[in-house]
Amino acid sequence: MVRYHASDLELWQQIWHTEYWNHNIWILPIHRPTSEHWVMSTLIPLSGEIHLFDSFGNRDAWEGEAKDIMAFAARLVIVVNQYGHPLHIITSSWSAFPTITSSQQTNGDNCGVRVLANIAAILSGFSVTGVIQSDIVHVRSSLLRVLAGLPIPP
């Protein structure tokens, strides 16, 4: 939403239903359009931490992106306050950390699966997955079974 210059109203309309301000962890999948690569960040608002996951372990790519994520976090706080949900978080001194520093991916088409696996790990209380390249086919199958079992809203 930052890269597309959405207004505060447009941003609010897209995210209000998540009630992110009531959660201790915010998960942001990020698509890098120039490289067609998915990465993710996990924000921990109360401690001011951003954990960055890139399956290629490319720390250089995160340098500029971390600033964008911090700006987006600040904007999330501002927007939620504008729409009547007091959230008292100081966003000026957040710190960013990579979750991995070496590549876990050897091809160009498993990044989305890895991001989904990391989201599942975080929602299950873990910080990283430990998934290796040879596990990806099993991760894909498991994710498909979970998604297929979800109810479809009316």
Side-chain angles (χ1 to χ4, degrees):
M1 301 277 320
V2 170
R3 291 183 180 137
Y4 303 107
H5 307 290
S7 69
D8 288 351
L9 177 60
E10 291 170 318
L11 179 59
W12 179 249
Q13 288 173 336
Q14 293 296 316
I15 62 174
W16 70 269
H17 65 280
T18 67
E19 294 188 17
Y20 64 89
W21 57 90
N22 289 324
H23 302 283
N24 295 327
I25 295 176
W26 302 348
I27 299 171
L28 301 175
I30 301 166
H31 184 247
R32 293 179 178 160
T34 55
S35 61
E36 290 296 321
H37 183 55
W38 283 95
V39 297
M40 67 173 279
S41 62
T42 305
L43 286 70
I44 306 171
L46 296 178
S47 63
E49 294 179 13
I50 298 173
H51 298 266
L52 312 163
F53 172 78
D54 178 354
S55 56
F56 287 137
N58 186 356
R59 188 176 181 144
D60 294 337
W62 281 110
E63 298 295 326
E65 203 155 47
K67 292 176 187 173
D68 288 344
I69 295 166
M70 288 180 195
F72 186 59
R75 189 153 174 227
L76 289 174
V77 171
I78 290 167
V79 167
V80 74
N81 281 297
Q82 284 176 347
Y83 286 92
H85 302 277
L87 185 61
H88 305 290
I89 294 175
I90 298 170
T91 58
S92 60
S93 59
W94 286 39
S95 300
F97 307 95
T99 58
I100 60 169
T101 55
S102 59
S103 182
Q104 293 182 341
Q105 184 175 339
T106 58
N107 61 26
D109 58 354
N110 289 332
C111 55
V113 173
R114 290 180 177 281
V115 165
L116 291 173
N118 271 280
I119 290 170
I122 289 165
L123 294 175
S124 299
F126 300 96
S127 57
V128 292
T129 63
V131 172
I132 58 175
Q133 189 65 31
S134 60
D135 292 337
I136 289 296
V137 69
H138 303 294
V139 172
R140 281 182 191 270
S141 298
S142 295
L143 288 171
L144 180 60
R145 280 193 304 277
V146 169
L147 293 173
L150 292 175
I152 298 174

